[in-house]
Amino acid sequence: MRDDRLEGVLLGTAYGDALGLAAEGMSARAIARRFGPMDRFNLLGRKGFVSDDTEQSALVAQSLARHPDDLDAAARAFRRSLLGWFLRLPWGIGLATLRACGRIALGLRRSGVSSGGNGAAMRSAVLGVALADPARRRAWSDRFAEVTHTHPLAVEGARFVAEVAARAGEGAPGDVLRAARGVMAQAALTDALDAALALAESESNADAAVARLGNTGFVVHTVGLAAYAFARWGDAPLQAVRGVIACGGDTDSIAAIVGAWCGARHGPGWIPPEHLARIHDGPFGPTHLRALAADLRAGHGLTARYSPLAAMLRNLALYPVVLAHGFRRLVPW
């Protein structure tokens, strides 16, 4: 078993998230026309920025580092940190997570909402790598998912993402996905996985995969398309991340999951160092993520810190850029 998997899963999440962020919500044709090959950051010059996918993954990691042996305390810590994160005005937050944060702010005991979105799945890979025991991994993944998403599809989708990350180095990528299939009982999810494996094994192109699997923020679509990319290109991780972004749709979240799986399988060495150097290295940047990985490996508590004020100022500074990209997607050329 690799000893750099925690760093790999967090940095892989960040890389997929930052690379896919500028293309979120765009069609494959529009991405190809506007950006060409997805081999560079496109949000603000050549600088990369992470969004909610990476930031929530980091919040999960820090809650686990604080309370590695107490699920109840870790889940409470995640709720508190999620509320603080929300109050710093992040951009890219999903509707279900937005509603859940509002319920946390009101002090409601049950914060999760019945949504089939992918917000829980996008942040769960780190639990798979950090927790070796399958029963414990499932319990922690489910509890963390239910902080924001209580729909069985969302909970099982998050459970599957964690399980694939846990098993990522155990055989060929397709075999890893098949081994993780057992944590899902919802037919919509297992059918999507089976279709993804068939598409990958027949070397169907990305257009055919999108047509069959979908590529929205619905967790069934996310599980299917991420599985297709990992099964087809999991041993060529740059191609896996770039290929799934080129499919369009919820590009940052799906690429964050594929990047996390590739990081769990290969460690962080597949990510071009010059690209990591271009990801903004403030709160939730590469230095912070490496420190979180070190804390999880050590198991002695949380030492990784960041400035909440710096995080808020960065969010506010980037709002005009994010809005400009949103309006730019409406232009047909």
Side-chain angles (χ1 to χ4, degrees), residues 43-238:
L43 187 70
L44 184 60
R46 291 183 176 271
K47 197 72 175 172
F49 295 90
V50 301
S51 68
D52 58 332
D53 310 273
T54 304
E55 295 185 354
Q56 289 188 43
S57 296
L59 298 181
V60 170
Q62 73 179 29
S63 300
L64 177 57
R66 281 191 173 111
H67 305 285
D69 300 312
D70 188 336
L71 174 54
D72 291 336
R76 289 193 299 269
F78 179 62
R79 278 175 52 107
R80 289 192 300 270
S81 62
L82 194 65
L83 178 58
W85 173 80
F86 169 69
L87 294 176
R88 293 192 292 274
L89 306 176
W91 31 268
I93 185 171
L95 180 59
T97 302
L98 177 67
R99 291 167 60 198
C101 288
R103 292 173 65 86
I104 295 170
L106 292 172
L108 299 181
R109 181 174 175 271
R110 294 179 60 86
S111 56
V113 299
S114 182
S115 166
N118 62 12
M122 73 188 190
R123 64 182 185 238
S124 67
V126 65
L127 289 171
V129 176
L131 301 172
D133 177 71
R136 188 164 176 250
R137 187 161 62 236
R138 176 169 176 162
W140 284 61
S141 173
D142 288 3
R143 179 74 69 84
F144 273 74
E146 290 166 355
V147 170
T148 55
H149 294 69
T150 60
H151 195 287
L153 287 171
V155 174
E156 287 192 13
R159 190 190 302 161
F160 176 74
V161 170
E163 191 68 15
V164 173
R167 297 175 175 267
E170 300 175 1
D175 294 336
V176 169
L177 293 163
R178 288 187 181 89
R181 186 184 190 276
V183 303
M184 299 187 296
Q186 298 291 315
L189 289 168
T190 55
D191 289 350
L193 175 58
D194 292 342
L197 289 167
L199 287 160
E201 288 166 0
S202 65
E203 297 187 354
S204 298
N205 64 27
D207 289 340
V210 170
R212 172 64 179 85
L213 301 169
N215 65 346
T216 69
F218 180 37
V219 71
V220 174
H221 296 170
T222 296
V223 164
L225 196 57
Y228 162 78
F230 188 65
R232 185 156 187 205
W233 301 304
D235 283 327
L238 282 175

Side-chain angles (χ1 to χ4, degrees), residues 270-297:
W270 60 274
I271 306 171
E274 64 274 17
H275 284 196
L276 275 181
R278 291 191 182 119
I279 295 178
H280 181 257
D281 203 24
F284 309 108
T287 298
H288 181 203
L289 297 176
R290 289 188 180 103
L292 279 173
D295 282 343
L296 289 172
R297 279 196 303 271

